[in-house]
């Protein structure tokens, strides 16, 4: 499995389809995922370039759902892989969140790394996404070493943990 990384902010190229589909949060620094289980995010590309963002998790066995829209920020190298999220329901519609796709495997079919700015509800943080609910053993060490090389990820590395997945 290749760990060659694409860095959208450096290359200026991000295929919008790279973020589409369902991703499982397999490592994170966000405390929210200590209280919720089975976190996943599904991205669906809209014709106008925005992305529908559906976060799913469970709390005490009950499903939780947060839906928002991600608007790409900028164009070219400066804005590639950067988004502003806004929830569609109260109170999430009141507090936008900026996030960036820091790195992903070449076709974004196996893993991705995202970083988030703070909001009223959450601190700044980092998520490692994979297409499966658990980080596969042969991928874990090399992927975490790669994350360690990302300057934007360094503030969050000491707080990374694996959320619970059934």
């Amino acid at each position: 499995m290749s760990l060659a990384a694409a860095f959208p902010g450096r290359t200026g190229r991000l295929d919008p389809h790279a973020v589409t589909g369902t991703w499982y949060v397999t490592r994170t620094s966000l405390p929210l995922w200590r209280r919720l289980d089975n976190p996943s995010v599904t991205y669906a590309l809209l014709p106008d370039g925005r992305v529908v963002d559906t976060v799913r998790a469970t709390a005490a066995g009950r499903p939780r759902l947060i839906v928002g829209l991600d608007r790409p920020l900028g164009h070219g190298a400066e804005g590639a892989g950067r988004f502003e999220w806004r929830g569609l329901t109260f109170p999430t519609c009141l507090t936008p969140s900026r996030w960036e796709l820091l790195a992903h495997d070449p076709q974004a079919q196996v893993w991705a790394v995202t970083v988030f700015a703070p909001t009223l509800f959450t601190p700044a943080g980092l998520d490692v996404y994979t297409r499966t609910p658990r980080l596969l053993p042969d991928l874990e060490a090399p992927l975490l070493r790669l994350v360690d090389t990302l300057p934007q990820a360094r503030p969050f590395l000491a707080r990374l943990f694996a959320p619970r997945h059934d």
Side-chain angles (χ1 to χ4, degrees):
M1 198 171 304
S2 171
L3 279 183
F7 296 91
R10 294 183 190 161
T11 65
R13 293 183 215 133
L14 174 70
D15 178 353
H17 298 281
V19 298
T20 62
T22 297
W23 295 94
Y24 296 90
V25 180
T26 54
R27 293 294 181 278
T28 186
S29 69
L30 294 170
L32 165 73
W33 299 128
R34 290 194 187 278
R35 297 186 320 267
L36 299 172
D37 298 332
N38 306 306
S40 69
V41 183
T42 301
Y43 298 108
L45 186 63
L46 296 174
D48 65 2
R50 293 180 302 160
V51 177
V52 176
D53 177 325
T54 306
V55 177
R56 290 181 174 85
T58 57
R62 300 178 72 152
R64 299 286 186 247
L65 182 73
I66 301 170
V67 179
L69 282 176
D70 299 297
R71 177 179 58 88
L73 296 174
H75 300 288
E78 185 178 317
R82 294 183 176 103
F83 298 87
E84 181 177 78
W85 175 89
R86 189 173 293 270
L88 298 180
T89 59
F90 185 81
T92 62
C93 63
L94 303 176
T95 172
S97 172
R98 291 194 172 202
W99 66 277
E100 179 178 356
L101 180 64
L102 288 183
H104 59 83
D105 65 279
Q107 288 79 38
Q109 295 302 310
V110 179
W111 61 269
V113 179
T114 58
V115 66
F116 301 86
T119 71
L120 290 174
F121 304 108
T122 59
L126 178 131
D127 282 344
V128 174
Y129 293 161
T130 57
R131 295 290 187 172
T132 58
R134 287 176 187 73
L135 192 51
L136 301 174
D138 63 331
L139 181 61
E140 183 173 15
L143 179 53
L144 293 177
R145 277 195 302 273
L146 182 134
V147 171
D148 191 44
T149 69
L150 303 171
Q152 304 96 318
R154 288 194 185 117
F156 309 108
L157 295 178
R159 296 191 317 248
L160 284 181
F161 67 94
R164 289 180 300 271
H165 285 276
D166 293 340

